[in-house]
Amino acid sequence: VEGAVDLSTGDFNKATPNLTLKWQIVKSDALMASYLGQALVAAPCPSPDEQGFCTRRINRMQDFKSSY
């Protein structure tokens, strides 16, 4: 994760994120046993880079909440 979330509004739902999420899925027992691991495996990755990493930019809290 790279970037920041502006929480100065005091309301998480109105926060302004500027995040870049980058991940690579490698299936394992530990990954499949966790809720976040299963969500990452199921997350869309339409065009992974040459090393197999997925990237997603988050600029709205709604996008962050709907990602997982």
Side-chain angles (χ1 to χ4, degrees):
V1 176
E2 184 177 284
V5 177
D6 181 3
L7 297 172
S8 64
T9 65
D11 183 353
F12 184 76
N13 292 319
K14 294 181 182 176
T16 305
N18 181 12
L19 300 172
T20 301
L21 307 177
K22 186 174 182 178
W23 69 95
Q24 183 179 40
I25 303 301
V26 178
K27 290 186 181 181
S28 69
D29 290 341
L31 178 72
M32 297 308 292
S34 72
Y35 173 76
L36 183 57
Q38 292 176 16
L40 286 172
V41 168
C45 182
S47 50
D49 66 13
E50 63 278 351
Q51 297 173 332
F53 285 91
C54 303
T55 303
R56 178 154 185 192
R57 299 247 327 122
I58 304 291
N59 294 326
R60 301 178 313 152
M61 287 310 289
Q62 297 91 329
D63 295 338
F64 185 72
K65 290 178 179 180
S66 67
S67 296
Y68 305 102

